[in-house]
Every structure is written in C-alpha cells, then in structure tokens.
Amino acid sequence: MMKESRIQWVYVASLVVSGAILVQMLLYAFQHLFRWKPLFTIFDLCMILFKHLHVPPPVAFLVINVLILYTLGTLIWLTIRHTLDTWKAQKIVEMSEESSLTQQYREQFQLAPRDLKIIAYDAPIAMTVGLWKPRILLSTGLIEMLEPNELKAVIEHEKCHMQHRDPLASLLISGISKAMWYIPIFAWLAEKYPIMIELRADKYAVTQMKQSLDLGSALLKLLKQVPKPHLISLSHASFAETSMNVRIQHILDPHMQLSLHWPHIRIVASLVIIILLMGLI
C-alpha cells in the first residue's frame, strides 16, 4: 500500500525519469539534425541492442525515430495548445471580470491583488489557474450559491492549490502521460495525482476552518449541480471535478488514511521499457 504522502515522491521521480529521457531524445535529434560531433546517448545503446537481437538496422533506426518524433511532437503540440488556451482564457476573464466584487473579496479574505479574480458567470466555478503565478478564479454563480463560511472554505482549498502550484504539476503530469504513453506508470500517476492534490487541499481547508462542516456542505451543493460546459479550457486545479465521493468520505472522517496500492505490474513494465529505451536511444 502507498500512503498519500508518498505519491509526491512518485511525482518527483517521474519528472526526473521523463526529463532524463527527453534530454537524451533531444541530444540524439540535434546530433542528427545539425551534424554535431557524435555524442554518446542512451539511444545509441539501443542500436547496439537491436544489433545483438539481429534486428535490421533500418528497422531499428525507424523505430527510434518514430518514437522520438511522436514524443517531441506531442509535447510541442500540447505546449502550443496550452498557450492558445491561456490566451483565450485571459480574454474571457478580462471581459467577464467583476472588478468591484473582486476587490471586495480580496480585502475580505486578505488576498494579494493578483491572487483572486471573480467573473460574471451563472454556473458555479472555483478553480486555480496559472502556472508560474497561479491565482484563484471564482464565478458569481458560486458566490450566490454558497454561504459565507462555505465560500471561505472553498477559498482556503484553492489557496492550497495556489501555494503548491498545482496547475503546473497537473499540466506536467498530463503532458508526460500523453507524450510517453508507452511508459505505464505515467498514465497511473496522471489518474491518481489529481485525487491526492484535492485531498491535500481539502485537508488544508479543514485545518484553516478548524472544522469540516462548511467544506463538506460546499462540496455537496456542487455535487447536486447539473454539469455545464467549461467556460475556459485550461490547465487548472478545480474545487469540484475530482473524486467527489472519496473526498466527502475523507471530510467526514479526517483521520481516515487513504492508501493507494502500488501498481506493481505497471512499475515492472515501466522499468523494462525504460531500460529498453536507455538501450534504444
């Protein structure tokens, strides 16, 4: 079993491993594109491995290049799409922002000038957006639906996301899992990590509020809402999009220790694939 605190180590390890593979891919690509003086990369070991397996060199070369092109191409495409989504989201927020309400709630909850934006939108929205300097985004629909203490609990929850830069972590994990789908542990992490960051934010909010009633009440109200299309498409950490049942159980019993089973098969498969990649690249 893996306790929730340990998933952070899996996250860091995944970034290190994926980063090492990407660096090797870039070295390999630049070496062939710009006719650099040959640099020994892990992909060169791959060619040696294929040779010992009696795989024809053209086949080995094709497999390696397709793998690298897919991985780097996917990351480039995701980066471009996120940049465009960010630009569109900023325009929507600028057009929809309720300046007077934003100022009022910034002062009420003692938030810095750029830490909170409130937009005019009927559906309840509570999320943290932004990669390097995240901020809380709330809708007028949410403010109208919640009681003052419930709203405070939601803001405390989002503060935790903001402090840990969870939108950036979510974007990195999502990008890695899509670009390196051939390494199973990344897909598992992309599924589980959002649950863990929501539980961490819930725990922080309960600690700040000194009770769990208001946070649980806010979650239940949002759970009853009919889902509506997203106003913006952007990497974010949302208050009410992930594992609602697990979170409600955790709020009702704060001492409950949530554990996750180690994905042994995925770990072994990932290690084998990574070893092969180190040989292939």
Side-chain angles (χ1 to χ4, degrees), residues 114-175:
R114 68 165 317 282
D115 286 350
L116 176 68
K117 294 277 187 181
I118 296 176
I119 57 174
Y121 192 62
D122 292 337
I125 291 177
M127 61 176 65
T128 301
V129 297
L131 302 182
W132 308 115
K133 296 180 179 179
R135 65 174 178 265
I136 300 169
L137 185 66
L138 305 178
S139 68
T140 51
L142 179 85
I143 294 173
E144 292 170 0
M145 184 181 71
L146 300 181
E147 298 296 327
N149 281 348
E150 294 170 343
L151 181 61
K152 178 175 173 54
V154 170
I155 290 177
E156 294 296 341
H157 173 101
E158 296 301 330
K159 278 184 183 179
C160 184
H161 286 316
M162 190 168 60
Q163 291 167 6
H164 288 89
R165 291 188 172 87
D166 285 334
L168 175 60
S170 298
L171 178 66
L172 289 175
I173 292 173
S174 175

Side-chain angles (χ1 to χ4, degrees), residues 214-257:
D214 294 318
L215 183 68
S217 177
L219 272 174
L220 288 173
K221 285 184 177 180
L222 286 167
L223 187 60
K224 295 176 182 178
Q225 294 295 305
V226 178
K228 293 187 178 181
H230 284 295
L231 178 64
I232 59 176
S233 177
L234 190 62
S235 294
H236 61 275
S238 175
F239 178 72
E241 288 183 6
T242 306
S243 305
M244 295 288 279
N245 291 335
V246 173
R247 291 171 61 193
I248 289 172
Q249 290 175 19
H250 203 261
I251 289 170
L252 291 175
D253 182 8
H255 300 292
M256 181 182 75
Q257 290 295 323

Side-chain angles (χ1 to χ4, degrees), residues 17-85:
V17 171
S18 60
I21 293 172
L22 284 174
V23 167
Q24 292 294 309
M25 286 184 172
L26 289 171
L27 286 175
Y28 180 90
F30 289 161
Q31 177 178 310
H32 288 81
L33 286 174
F34 302 109
R35 306 298 180 184
W36 286 1
K37 181 180 179 180
L39 300 171
F40 190 77
T41 67
I42 56 176
F43 283 97
D44 294 311
L45 290 174
C46 183
M47 298 298 292
I48 296 172
L49 177 63
F50 272 8
K51 184 178 180 180
H52 284 293
L53 293 174
H54 304 290
V55 176
V59 175
F61 187 76
L62 177 63
V63 170
I64 294 170
N65 282 276
V66 167
L67 186 69
I68 292 175
L69 284 173
Y70 176 85
T71 302
L72 297 180
T74 300
L75 288 175
I76 290 170
W77 163 244
L78 291 173
T79 300
I80 293 172
R81 190 177 71 178
H82 182 268
T83 301
L84 292 174
D85 287 343

